[in-house]
Amino acid sequence: MAKPVERYDAGTVESRWQSVWEERGTFVTPNTSDRPKYYVLEMFPYPSGRIHMGHVRNYTMGDVIARYMRARGYNVLHPMGWDAFGMPAENAAIERGIHPARWTYDNIDVMRSQLKSMGLSIDWSREFATCDVEYYHQQQRLFLDFLAAGLVTRRKRKVNWDPVDQTVLANEQVIDGRGWRSGAPVESRELTQWFFRITDYAEELLEALDGLGRWPEKVRLMQRNWIGRSEGVRLRFDLVDGSNNRSGELEVFTTRHDTLFGMSFCAVSPDHPLTRELAANDSGLAEFVSECQRLGTSEEAIERAAKKGYDLGLRAVHPFIEGKTVPVFAANFVLMEYGTGAIFGCPGHDQRDFDFAKALGLDIIPVVAPADLQDRDLDAYVATYAERDEVYTGPGRMINSGFLDGLGVDEAKAEVAERIEQLGRGSRTVNYRLRDWGISRQRYWGCPIPVIHCARCGIVPVPVDELPVTLPDDVTFDQPGNPLDRHPTWKFVDCPECGGKAERETDTMDTFVDSSWYFARFTAPRAKTPTDRQAADAWLPVDQYIGGVEHAILHLLYSRFFTRAMRRTGHVGIDEPFAGLFTQGMVCHETYKDSAGRWVFPKDVEFRDGSAFHVETGEPIVVGPVESMSKSKRNVVDPDDIIARYGADTARLFMLSDTPPERDIEWTDAGIEGANRFVQRFWRIVNEAASRVPPPGTAAPAAFGDHALALRKASHRTLHDISQDIPALRFNVAVARIHELANTISSFLSARQDASDDGAWALREACEFLVQMSNPMMPHLTEESWQILGHTTLLADSEWPIADRAFLEEDTITIPVQVNGKRRDEITVSKDASDAEVEAAALSSINVQRALGGMTVRKVVVVPARIVNVVAA
């Protein structure tokens, strides 16, 4: 009786092979190689303390690609680093009384160990953290190069100000009007800030999206919308005061100049020069401006707020309607950063204008009617228009618009633009929603901006030979604000130009800067310049970039700008950083609450008789909906626990199974248990086969019987399909095919079809294929299996097998059968079957016979390899 196969011991096997790979430098990547290059990169993590299941999924996907391409003969670059600057480290310093650097590097040590336990094929020799002086030194050099190239500017701008953290917040960091970390109500302030001139590249960034064919369309659309190109008209209105005396001009930008006859007001931003001028002598207006500033600057907050305005006592003169003027307001929904900071309001066809007009009792005049609106219904449409909740913004024909009546919207736009230009009141122009990138942050834990402020010389760049400007270690966090501002010595320096007393810039860079070029630094992470141009040009662009869709706009857009800026300053030779982009779905789990409404961790929940209970207290648990894993809702599973219990390969396999990688995946105990059962079954199959197959390298038999041929055909077909699935990121499909081949091999073993030499040889080939194809997904299990099959070399160093095309051709074909033109069945016949054989197979079909009933077959038409039609009456 055969000795039973011992259970696969993941813990022992995985640690052993990880040690072997590290000792041999298996995944260390040379910059020069005869192999073609392939650069795969996952978005690097923030060192928050521990990895989560989202990391496991993200990095497993990248690792599958990296291992596969390496086996296919590519020199694969697969690095890892840490996006390490930012407010969480400063908050930790405040809360725990430790230095941000210590908190950050301690977290990196923990997370590095966790990632290594996953068996990732990463070149750890290239590792860096963005808070390493070596890294931010080179970032400062890039800043100085961008400054010299005219890509950096400094000016005043309205910003979101967190009064507790005392720093500028990006719009995305303002949640429901409050700071994302402090929770304090955000204020709007005007501060002098440093900016990267991303708007210089607005049109180029927009047009280049069409060439990113390997990016998800949803991401390209999000970037198009963020850049926000709009064609419109800049139009100047004459202003008059209460006595009808001319009082200057007001310039607006509009994309809906077709609706000019529906204008019932003009509005300017609270920050518009006209508002400021009038507020100096109007305390009511000044108070209104202060109220608007408390809204913050995010478009979300402005859209959500009730529409309010303040009458400036001026009126705008309509360019086409003799004698018509409309009131001019300062309004809380008009942004100074868009267009000219002023609008004309057509409440009939803009929802914000509509809400504003209703709030202030202004006229609402519809000037566009839907194209399918009948003339008999037109009066009712106009009469009841102000009673509706939402305005009409679609296409149609012009009404109530003088010389425009009857024209379509596009025709009306062209006509208005032409007449405005003839009157000398404006011109056609293009506008962008995209704003310049403000990079100033009032915090300590960030890359210092390398400039000096001198009372005599102004802004002076730090000389390159005096870089890096390093962060002082002796800072305190015992009071709010930026510790660099109150450091007793760090900011006080001599001016590099005149030698007089000067001060360093105390703002540090937005962390998006750190992540906008790290992919280039990985190509030569120890270079004494920001990049080694030869290495950068050899490796870039990244062939496959993987990360969350939440970074679809800012990180990716900033990286695209940064790459262009680096090309302009001679650091890289490309424009686009990422040739291929994949955005994976989230990892989800059920949510649980106790009777007091407190969130409960999944590990603290057990199920008995279909109900949930707390493991320790036994109290009933309420099972909530499946949601993305988050610490706040405690529906998280610790990767360390899973790897300790089941092994990394089981966790990797589960993350790749069942669910397409672009979709959310639900973590379930049943799912991880199922993946573990397959790992054990895989191990048993390989061990059983190993005792029956010939030694590695045994010559193939001269001929193969039917059973051996069938196994070889299944093996080669699976190999061919998986070789297409992996580069297309169809990981769940590839895993399903591995399951199918494992079933086929298991059946072959059970039937003892390996008893002959040809069967045993086919069994070895099938098992080797199974192991090699599974290696990117389950690298430890397959390395061990490779040895069990008698190999002495590393599977990680082995080439990917090539499918024999002779086994890919089908011997049979499937043909649909119709009865009197209606499809009733399909038949499978030999590819070489005669028409008579096909006809006989069709007529013998039970479904065809049922469809015929008592009818007589008059004729059978066989279209070879395509269709059979039975004609009966």
Side-chain angles (χ1 to χ4, degrees):
M1 183 174 178
K3 181 181 178 181
V5 176
E6 292 184 4
R7 186 175 178 81
Y8 176 68
D9 182 359
T12 301
V13 170
E14 291 179 355
S15 61
R16 181 172 72 250
W17 284 115
Q18 288 165 17
S19 297
V20 170
W21 296 330
E22 186 168 359
E23 289 166 4
R24 298 192 185 185
T26 300
F27 304 118
V28 174
T29 306
N31 266 353
T32 56
S33 172
D34 294 335
R35 292 180 161 203
K37 74 95 176 177
Y38 193 88
Y39 188 175
V40 57
L41 182 66
E42 306 90 0
M43 295 179 185
F44 63 169
Y46 181 78
S48 58
R50 302 187 67 79
I51 67 170
H52 52 69
M53 281 301 173
H55 290 129
V56 174
R57 192 181 196 199
N58 190 28
Y59 299 129
T60 295
M61 290 179 185
D63 197 52
V64 170
I65 294 293
R67 286 178 176 273
Y68 171 77
M69 296 305 293
R70 192 171 185 270
R72 292 304 300 258
Y74 286 82
N75 185 34
V76 175
L77 178 57
H78 187 210
M80 178 61 68
W82 309 94
D83 191 9
F85 273 137
M87 280 299 297
E90 288 200 36
N91 289 339
I94 295 169
E95 295 166 7
R96 297 170 176 81
I98 60 175
H99 194 280
R102 178 184 165 190
W103 183 82
T104 300
Y105 284 110
D106 284 351
N107 287 348
I108 287 174
D109 289 342
V110 171
M111 293 177 69
R112 182 193 304 111
S113 176
Q114 290 181 297
L115 291 177
K116 285 188 174 184
S117 74
M118 289 175 57
L120 303 175
S121 59
I122 284 171
D123 181 356
W124 287 101
S125 70
R126 296 176 184 256
E127 177 190 10
F128 58 74
T130 58
C131 63
D132 293 344
V133 173
E134 185 179 31
Y135 183 82
Y136 73 74
H137 173 189
Q138 301 307 327
Q139 187 162 297
Q140 290 172 345
R141 291 194 62 171
L142 288 174
F143 178 92
L144 295 180
D145 287 348
F146 291 4
L147 182 65
L151 292 170
V152 182
T153 185
R154 190 169 185 264
R155 63 177 183 270
K156 288 185 176 181
R157 191 169 86 174
K158 301 288 291 192
V159 296
N160 299 307
W161 179 259
D162 187 316
V164 173
D165 282 337
Q166 294 197 1
T167 186
V168 170
L169 300 178
N171 285 341
E172 292 69 30
Q173 295 170 321
V174 179
I175 311 299
D176 294 330
R178 296 177 178 272
W180 67 325
R181 295 291 177 188
S182 71
V186 169
E187 301 172 359
S188 177
R189 286 193 182 181
E190 188 172 64
L191 296 179
T192 301
Q193 302 275 285
W194 288 97
F195 295 87
F196 284 143
R197 298 174 63 107
I198 189 173
T199 54
D200 288 1
Y201 290 91
E203 188 65 28
E204 183 178 330
L205 289 167
L206 184 64
E207 290 182 352
L209 289 170
D210 291 334
L212 298 177
R214 291 179 52 224
W215 281 41
E217 178 54 34
K218 65 180 178 180
V219 173
R220 292 191 289 172
L221 178 61
M222 291 166 74
Q223 290 214 358
R224 286 191 185 97
N225 291 340
W226 189 263
I227 295 169
R229 186 184 192 275
S230 55
E231 296 183 6
V233 167
R234 278 185 178 254
L235 167 62
R236 294 186 304 279
F237 293 99
D238 280 335
L239 296 179
V240 295
D241 60 20
S243 301
N244 212 34
N245 295 317
R246 193 173 186 278
S247 186
E249 290 184 336
L250 180 66
E251 185 177 51
V252 306
F253 171 78
T254 179
T255 59
R256 290 302 309 268
H257 36 294
D258 55 304
T259 66
L260 198 53
F261 280 87
M263 179 176 72
S264 63
F265 69 93
C266 283
V268 296
S269 165
D271 303 311
H272 194 279
L274 178 60
T275 310
R276 293 188 176 189
E277 177 187 343
L278 297 175
N281 298 304
D282 186 337
S283 59
L285 178 57
E287 174 55 34
F288 176 77
V289 170
S290 296
E291 180 186 344
C292 293
Q293 289 176 341
R294 290 191 287 273
L295 264 181
T297 66
S298 73
E299 290 185 40
E300 178 189 4
I302 291 170
E303 286 291 334
R304 191 172 55 247
K307 304 299 181 285
K308 296 182 179 181
Y310 189 95
D311 194 332
L312 299 181
L314 299 172
R315 298 184 72 86
V317 178
H318 199 288
F320 298 140
I321 303 177
E322 185 70 29
K324 179 173 181 177
T325 62
V326 298
V328 181
F329 297 89
N332 65 349
F333 65 93
V334 181
L335 296 173
M336 191 62 214
E337 289 76 20
Y338 182 78
T340 65
I343 66 165
F344 81 78
C346 176
H349 304 286
D350 181 281
Q351 192 64 42
R352 293 178 309 171
D353 295 352
F354 182 82
D355 295 340
F356 183 78
K358 275 202 164 185
L360 275 70
L362 302 174
D363 291 340
I364 299 174
I365 308 167
V367 292
V368 181
D372 58 355
L373 185 71
Q374 301 297 316
D375 288 341
R376 64 176 178 270
D377 300 322
L378 189 57
D379 289 343
Y381 171 76
V382 173
T384 61
Y385 196 86
E387 299 171 11
R388 58 172 59 204
D389 294 322
E390 294 185 358
V391 300
Y392 179 70
T393 59
R397 58 191 172 99
M398 306 306 300
I399 59 173
N400 297 330
S401 297
F403 57 80
L404 298 177
D405 282 351
L407 297 180
V409 167
D410 290 339
E411 295 173 300
K413 284 183 178 181
E415 181 65 23
V416 169
E418 180 71 26
R419 295 200 182 206
I420 288 294
E421 289 176 338
Q422 288 176 356
L423 291 172
R425 308 296 312 174
S427 60
R428 280 169 269 220
T429 188
V430 174
N431 197 63
Y432 297 92
R433 179 178 179 271
L434 181 67
R435 303 273 71 86
D436 278 337
W437 173 10
I439 66 164
S440 296
R441 296 294 181 268
Q442 294 68 41
R443 62 160 185 264
Y444 164 76
W445 195 235
C447 174
I449 296 175
V451 296
I452 292 170
H453 299 278
C454 175
R456 178 182 302 173
C457 304
I459 294 173
V460 181
V462 174
V464 171
D465 61 3
E466 293 183 15
L467 295 179
V469 177
T470 57
L471 292 168
D473 291 329
D474 55 335
V475 291
T476 60
F477 297 91
D478 55 351
Q479 53 185 296
N482 184 355
L484 297 177
D485 266 336
R486 57 179 182 270
H487 194 279
T489 60
W490 180 83
K491 72 175 182 179
F492 300 107
V493 294
D494 293 335
C495 173
E497 291 188 359
C498 71
K501 298 300 181 184
E503 293 186 4
R504 294 190 187 281
E505 173 64 68
T506 58
D507 284 353
T508 53
M509 295 187 201
D510 177 15
T511 54
F512 275 116
V513 180
D514 311 339
S515 59
S516 291
W517 72 286
Y518 77 108
F519 48 86
R521 186 65 180 171
F522 274 137
T523 65
R526 312 295 171 237
K528 300 303 181 183
T529 51
T531 65
D532 176 317
R533 181 62 187 270
Q534 183 176 358
D537 288 351
W539 281 113
L540 295 173
V542 175
D543 295 281
Q544 185 64 65
Y545 197 39
I546 303 174
V549 73
E550 66 272 18
H551 301 296
I553 298 177
L554 294 185
H555 164 59
L556 293 173
L557 189 61
Y558 290 159
S559 296
R560 296 179 63 219
F561 158 73
F562 222 85
T563 302
R564 285 165 168 78
M566 290 177 72
R567 177 167 187 165
R568 181 165 164 178
T569 52
H571 296 288
V572 298
I574 61 167
D575 289 331
E576 290 294 341
F578 312 119
L581 172 70
F582 184 80
T583 54
Q584 86 280 356
M586 306 290 283
V587 182
C588 304
H589 198 292
E590 284 183 332
T591 51
Y592 307 110
K593 283 184 177 181
D594 62 17
S595 56
R598 294 181 295 250
W599 299 106
V600 179
F601 287 109
K603 64 183 179 63
D604 295 328
V605 178
E606 64 178 355
F607 287 85
R608 299 192 302 269
D609 301 324
S611 297
F613 302 91
H614 197 285
V615 171
E616 294 183 0
T617 67
E619 68 172 304
I621 293 294
V622 178
V623 179
V626 174
E627 298 186 33
S628 298
M629 285 189 181
S630 69
K631 292 179 181 178
S632 63
K633 294 183 179 178
R634 296 195 171 190
N635 62 332
V636 295
V637 175
D638 190 332
D640 277 1
D641 292 344
I642 297 302
I643 291 174
R645 182 175 178 182
Y646 299 104
D649 283 347
T650 294
R652 290 168 62 116
L653 182 65
F654 176 76
M655 285 299 180
L656 300 169
S657 302
D658 301 328
T659 305
E662 68 274 12
R663 297 181 187 171
D664 293 349
I665 183 173
E666 181 183 353
W667 181 276
T668 63
D669 290 343
I672 192 68
E673 290 283 359
N676 188 55
R677 284 195 298 273
F678 181 74
V679 165
Q680 296 297 334
R681 182 164 178 258
F682 187 106
W683 178 244
R684 291 193 300 272
I685 289 172
V686 170
N687 275 269
E688 185 176 352
S691 63
R692 304 192 196 177
V693 298
T698 300
F704 291 89
D706 290 344
H707 295 305
L709 281 174
L711 180 59
R712 296 198 69 196
K713 182 175 180 178
S715 303
H716 283 263
R717 166 58 68 183
T718 303
L719 174 60
H720 171 268
D721 291 342
I722 288 180
S723 299
Q724 294 179 322
D725 292 333
I726 292 178
L729 284 78
R730 295 191 295 263
F731 304 124
N732 60 311
V733 177
V735 170
R737 297 191 203 279
I738 287 170
H739 277 262
E740 291 174 5
L741 182 59
N743 290 340
T744 301
I745 295 173
S746 182
S747 297
F748 193 87
L749 286 166
S750 297
R752 298 307 306 252
Q753 291 167 344
D754 58 293
S756 60
D757 288 345
D758 63 320
W761 196 95
L763 178 60
R764 165 168 284 283
E765 179 186 56
C767 286
E768 289 190 350
F769 281 7
L770 178 69
V771 169
Q772 288 173 291
M773 290 185 292
S774 303
N775 177 249
M777 292 85 161
M778 302 178 289
H780 313 87
L781 171 65
T782 51
E783 280 285 10
E784 191 76 2
S785 297
W786 194 243
Q787 303 295 310
I788 293 295
L789 289 172
H791 292 279
T792 57
T793 57
L794 277 183
L795 179 56
D797 291 335
S798 300
E799 294 182 359
W800 191 261
I802 304 298
D804 187 337
R805 301 201 67 84
F807 290 106
L808 306 181
E809 297 181 7
E810 296 289 348
D811 297 327
T812 60
I813 55 176
T814 300
I815 304 174
V817 181
Q818 294 182 340
V819 176
N820 290 338
K822 292 185 178 181
R823 183 179 177 131
R824 297 299 187 182
D825 202 359
E826 58 183 28
I827 56 173
T828 300
V829 296
S830 169
K831 190 169 61 174
D832 301 322
S834 65
D835 286 357
E837 291 171 325
V838 172
E839 178 179 331
L843 293 176
S844 64
S845 161
I846 294 175
N847 289 333
V848 170
Q849 292 175 4
R850 185 181 295 117
L852 286 171
M855 293 188 293
T856 301
V857 175
R858 302 296 187 185
K859 181 170 59 173
V860 178
V861 179
V862 177
V863 180
R866 293 185 61 185
I867 196 168
V868 179
N869 191 22
V870 179
V871 180

